[in-house]
């Protein structure tokens, strides 16, 4: 995950959209292309959690990643993200 020192050392362009700000956090939990697809479809934490509460743990599974083959985020990644973001157990560790 990112630390305060990582943020201080950032040399890239500053994000200009919610999705651009949110995607790096999601990349700590998902592969880059999957994180980008989720951030584009749900550009805020609140929006993503609301989607999980409405549509269940497979809410982001059908999102298409930007690949030549049009791969999807998939149910395994969606469920892992759902478990991490909606768990209320402070001792929970995503696997």
């Amino acid at each position: 995950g990112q630390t305060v020192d990582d943020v201080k050392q950032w040399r890239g362009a500053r994000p200009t959209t919610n999705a651009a700000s949110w995607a790096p956090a999601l990349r700590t939990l998902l592969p880059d292309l999957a994180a980008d697809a989720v951030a584009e479809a749900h550009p805020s934490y609140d929006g993503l959690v609301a989607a999980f509460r409405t549509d269940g743990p497979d809410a982001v599974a059908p999102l298409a990643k930007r690949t030549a083959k049009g791969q999807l985020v998939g149910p395994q990644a969606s469920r892992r993200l759902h478990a991490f973001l909606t768990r209320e157990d402070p001792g929970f560790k995503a696997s």
Side-chain angles (χ1 to χ4, degrees):
Q2 291 184 327
T3 66
V4 172
D5 290 333
D6 294 331
V7 174
K8 288 178 182 176
Q9 294 175 10
W10 178 253
R11 300 280 188 249
R14 297 210 184 260
T16 57
T17 65
N18 285 344
S21 298
W22 177 222
L26 288 171
R27 286 186 196 117
T28 65
L29 303 169
L30 297 171
D32 289 355
L33 293 174
D36 292 343
V38 172
E40 190 173 306
H42 304 284
S44 71
Y45 170 83
D46 292 338
L48 180 55
V49 171
F52 279 132
R53 289 192 176 133
T54 302
D55 301 328
D58 290 330
V60 299
L63 296 177
K65 298 188 278 185
R66 291 185 183 203
T67 64
K69 295 180 181 179
Q71 296 172 319
L72 304 177
V73 171
Q76 185 177 12
S78 183
R79 289 180 186 144
R80 185 173 59 245
L81 186 59
H82 173 268
F84 187 81
L85 294 179
T86 62
R87 253 321 191 241
E88 294 182 16
D89 176 10
F92 173 72
K93 294 181 182 174
S95 55

